[in-house]
Amino acid sequence: MNENKCIYCNFKHSDNIGAEIYSGEYIPEEVMYDSDWSDEFEYAYLKQKNGYFVLATLHNDNEFYSWDGDETGILYCPMCGRRLDNAI
């Protein structure tokens, strides 16, 4: 397994997220939340929470008015394969 942190699982920013998966760039969560959701945005990123890690996705709600989000607990970075329990 890879022990190096890639841009997706390097949680060096103040909001504890890695780079956005589709763009490969760091986008602050506040910027993602404030997107114009009528334009069919979708974001995916890894987030470090209190002792665990999630793959978070933000996408349009059913009415294209606002956003809806999902979080799935993960143990490995889906991009580089590094085990995330030693990410700090």
Side-chain angles (χ1 to χ4, degrees), residues 11 45-47 52-56 72-78 84:
F11 307 106
Y45 55 95
L46 304 181
K47 182 170 186 168
Y52 64 99
F53 303 88
V54 296
L55 170 62
T72 303
I74 58 173
L75 297 174
Y76 295 90
C77 174
L84 294 175

Side-chain angles (χ1 to χ4, degrees), residues 35-42 60 64-66:
S35 296
D36 180 6
W37 291 100
S38 64
D39 289 338
E40 296 187 43
F41 279 101
E42 183 171 340
N60 302 80
F64 289 86
Y65 177 73
S66 185

